[in-house]
Amino acid sequence: MMLVAHVSRATLVPVFKSRATVFLRARWYSTPTELPLPTNSKVWKSVDEAVKDVKSGDVLLCGGFGLAGVPDTLLSALVKRKDVTKLTGVSNNAGAGDSGLGKLFNSKQIDKIVASYPGGNKAFEALYLNGEVSLELCPQGTLVERLRAHAAGIPAFFTPTGASTAVEEGSIPTRYNEGGFANGVKIPGIKKESREFGGRKYIMEPAIAGDVAFVRAWKVDEAGNCVFRYTQQNFSTVMAKNAKLTIVEADQIVPTGSLSPNAIHVPGIYVDRVVQSTAPKQIEHIKLAPSPSSSGEQSTLSAEKEFAQKMRHRTAQRAAKELKDGFYVNLGIGIPTLIPAYLEPGVRVWLQSENGILGMGPYPTAEQVDPDLINAGKETVTLLPGASVFDSSESFAMIRGGHVDLSILGAMQVSQAGDIANFMIPGKLVKGIGGAMDLVSNPDKTKVIVVMEHCAKDGSPKILKECALPLTGARTVSQIITELAVFDVDRKNGHLELVELQEGVTLEEVKAKTGCDFKVRSDLSKL
């Protein structure tokens, strides 16, 4: 018997039967070794030429988180294009000063922004409240997922984030009339469709399609393959994959083939142009580890501020008891950042930061400061051994999916049913939603604890029958810890139970300073 074989892109494979040999055609999925390597370089020598195709009215995706990974070289080139106006900017932040989208606000080239946390830019906040610019405020995890969805050819999706809040209701104005808040709303917010799946409420969010993406990466080869460094990834990976025209500014441009295929975060298929980054890296908040000598220094705070600080630490110390060994924990800004100093002996936890860190370490020394390594509060941090870094899409998959054990946040108000309000005061404060709505979006799997002062600065209660401010989440909080007391929340039935009093606090004081009724545990304890 003679076998026939022909080596090519397809080959004949013999299959032996009892009386005959049948040949089946099987395809090879490789390429001949002689196939030439593409040599076209995506590198542009002139940044000004690279941005020449950006036009008025474009949707511009701008990577970066705080000032980490911000494509300031490309933005500086676009500022020179005075003919380009009416841009819609999409970014986590609105920039700061003359960095990020702040450059385009200063040059008056942006008419609208889609953002998660624009409040770091005071100039933008004033423009929005005066009716001079439009804002589509979007939860951080939803924003990055809307960008990822378009890149993957998905027109819309359902998410629990923002359900039963102003995001679903469309009650956050997109634009005020000229003259600002007092003159009414010119463009209302966008109401979202909602549905129930498995007994939970979800809202539909449309994908965001970008015309142009500006991204900053660490190493980029001439074929456009990108590698990011630490928290430089943030929104940049999904933005690079989303737009019709993606331009990457690289800290280092390297020859094709010099990057390990295992290390590439964005394959070159998504990238159209590469330029050399020349803008210096900046840090929004340099936060250093306290020096050993500073521990003995006398406080310069007033007696009132020193007392307030003591109360904040008291709250953090009690909250630390909720962290168990091996927990994955996300800590919000403010009081939550004080908690790690009070962990019980033997307790070790993994801190997650929504801008793309798992295994966040303490603040750095002056020698350790790295502009590509910041936390969600835009502060400098370090990494623990065993830490990992990733983009914002991956980060919020962990959060929404309930893989984080504990989420601890501050709040402006909390209701007796576990509703939380912590992101805006209508007509006054437009800091933004950030990641808070996502962090409280899966309370059955991720326990949500609020740590806060019991009363506002004017003495009014912050624990209420119903929140008066726009909600961050409905029936999401399981525990409230203040400098006065600890409450457990029955989210299903909408009741509070007082379970602990802080040292020196009486039940009568807590009743007087709480804006709703609550049950008292029979074995009420004091700390």
Side-chain angles (χ1 to χ4, degrees):
M1 186 183 340
M2 184 172 67
L3 298 179
V4 177
H6 178 68
V7 180
S8 69
R9 292 297 297 276
T11 190
L12 299 178
V13 178
V15 178
F16 296 98
K17 292 189 175 182
S18 57
R19 295 185 180 181
T21 300
V22 178
F23 289 89
L24 301 179
R25 183 172 291 272
R27 182 172 180 181
W28 287 10
Y29 286 90
S30 186
T31 58
T33 56
E34 66 270 23
L35 187 70
L37 183 73
T39 57
N40 292 341
S41 173
K42 296 183 178 180
V43 177
W44 288 52
K45 292 183 178 180
S46 168
V47 180
D48 293 337
E49 281 294 305
V51 303
K52 67 179 181 180
D53 294 318
V54 182
K55 58 186 184 301
S56 293
D58 273 352
V59 175
L60 173 65
L61 313 182
C62 180
F65 186 96
L67 299 182
V70 174
D72 275 343
T73 303
L74 291 166
L75 290 166
S76 294
L78 187 57
V79 167
K80 299 176 188 176
R81 297 274 315 280
K82 302 301 182 185
D83 58 309
V84 178
T85 59
K86 300 291 183 182
L87 293 169
T88 294
V90 181
S91 186
N92 180 65
N93 310 99
D98 194 40
S99 182
L101 290 185
K103 288 180 176 292
L104 300 181
F105 280 114
N106 294 340
S107 62
K108 301 190 183 303
Q109 290 173 275
I110 289 188
D111 183 62
K112 178 183 177 181
I113 182 174
V114 184
S116 161
Y117 197 83
N121 187 332
K122 295 293 184 184
F124 159 77
E125 189 174 351
L127 289 170
Y128 171 67
L129 292 176
N130 287 329
E132 297 176 49
V133 69
S134 297
L135 167 67
E136 185 178 338
L137 199 58
C138 186
Q140 194 174 133
T142 298
L143 179 58
V144 73
E145 197 65 13
R146 289 174 67 185
L147 292 162
R148 190 202 67 81
H150 177 73
I154 299 170
F157 58 90
F158 282 90
T159 176
T161 302
S164 301
T165 73
V167 171
E168 178 188 346
E169 298 157 1
S171 57
I172 303 173
T174 299
R175 192 170 190 140
Y176 291 110
N177 282 317
E178 192 171 333
F181 176 76
N183 294 332
V185 174
K186 182 176 184 179
I187 305 174
I190 304 167
K191 188 176 175 61
K192 304 292 170 63
E193 176 187 338
S194 67
R195 291 189 192 178
E196 280 199 7
F197 298 92
R200 291 185 67 197
K201 189 177 186 182
Y202 295 76
I203 59 174
M204 191 177 78
E205 290 282 2
I208 295 175
D211 295 305
V212 183
F214 284 179
V215 170
R216 182 169 186 165
W218 179 34
K219 292 182 180 180
V220 184
D221 68 17
E222 293 177 278
N225 295 306
C226 300
V227 178
F228 296 91
R229 185 172 179 274
Y230 296 138
T231 55
Q232 198 183 42
Q233 290 191 60
N234 49 71
F235 281 68
S236 296
T237 52
V238 294
M239 287 182 170
K241 298 172 184 178
N242 177 297
K244 298 173 186 175
L245 172 64
T246 292
I247 311 175
V248 179
E249 63 173 83
D251 296 336
Q252 299 177 36
I253 299 175
V254 299
T256 299
S258 61
L259 298 176
S260 168
N262 292 316
I264 291 168
H265 295 117
V266 175
I269 192 171
Y270 297 108
V271 176
D272 300 292
R273 299 172 187 177
V274 178
V275 299
Q276 179 65 54
S277 180
T278 57
K281 294 184 178 183
Q282 301 183 61
I283 301 173
E284 198 161 344
H285 302 298
I286 297 178
K287 186 81 171 182
L288 300 179
S291 63
S293 60
S294 65
S295 59
E297 292 178 3
Q298 192 168 354
S299 173
T300 57
L301 297 175
S302 65
E304 183 181 1
K305 288 185 177 180
E306 192 165 344
F307 178 77
Q309 186 181 68
K310 182 181 177 181
M311 292 301 99
R312 288 161 62 86
H313 279 267
R314 171 194 270 190
T315 303
Q317 186 172 9
R318 171 56 187 86
K321 296 180 182 296
E322 301 300 318
L323 279 64
K324 307 305 178 186
D325 193 43
F327 265 20
Y328 294 97
V329 182
N330 185 288
L331 300 176
I333 60 176
I335 295 176
T337 63
L338 304 174
I339 292 172
Y342 296 103
L343 290 177
E344 298 278 312
V347 172
R348 300 290 184 269
V349 298
W350 295 101
L351 296 181
Q352 199 259 14
S353 184
E354 57 262 40
N355 62 314
I357 300 176
L358 187 62
M360 183 171 63
Y363 294 125
T365 63
E367 294 74 24
Q368 293 174 316
V369 167
D370 190 322
D372 291 328
L373 194 49
I374 62 168
N375 63 16
K378 291 90 177 177
E379 300 170 325
T380 48
V381 292
T382 59
L383 299 178
L384 295 178
S388 56
V389 292
F390 32 84
D391 71 5
S392 297
S393 178
E394 184 74 46
S395 182
F396 282 96
M398 295 176 190
I399 292 167
R400 276 193 314 272
H403 304 286
V404 176
D405 295 298
L406 198 58
S407 175
I408 305 182
L409 307 89
M412 297 175 187
Q413 294 176 345
V414 184
S415 81
Q416 65 182 29
D419 302 335
I420 177 174
N422 75 347
F423 78 95
M424 75 178 293
I425 299 172
K428 294 182 180 179
L429 193 63
V430 196
K431 291 296 182 185
I433 298 169
M437 283 191 180
D438 299 277
L439 287 164
V440 302
S441 68
N442 199 345
D444 292 333
K445 290 187 177 180
T446 299
K447 183 179 180 180
V448 177
I449 298 176
V450 164
V451 293
M452 64 179 186
E453 289 87 358
H454 206 93
C455 296
K457 289 182 179 179
D458 63 1
S460 60
K462 295 173 70 173
I463 302 174
L464 305 165
K465 184 175 182 179
E466 294 182 354
C467 294
L469 297 173
L471 295 187
T472 304
R475 293 181 182 256
T476 59
V477 178
S478 292
Q479 192 173 53
I480 306 168
I481 301 173
T482 76
E483 77 282 10
L484 301 183
V486 179
F487 292 90
D488 284 346
V489 184
D490 181 345
R491 294 187 289 110
K492 182 178 180 181
N493 296 307
H495 297 144
L496 278 182
E497 183 179 28
L498 177 65
V499 296
E500 293 176 20
L501 293 173
Q502 295 275 23
E503 182 181 357
V505 177
T506 64
L507 176 58
E508 290 69 27
E509 182 182 2
V510 173
K511 285 183 176 180
K513 294 180 177 180
T514 303
C516 62
D517 295 331
F518 53 85
K519 299 177 181 179
V520 180
R521 181 171 291 183
S522 57
D523 60 343
L524 181 66
S525 61
K526 282 197 174 186
L527 297 176

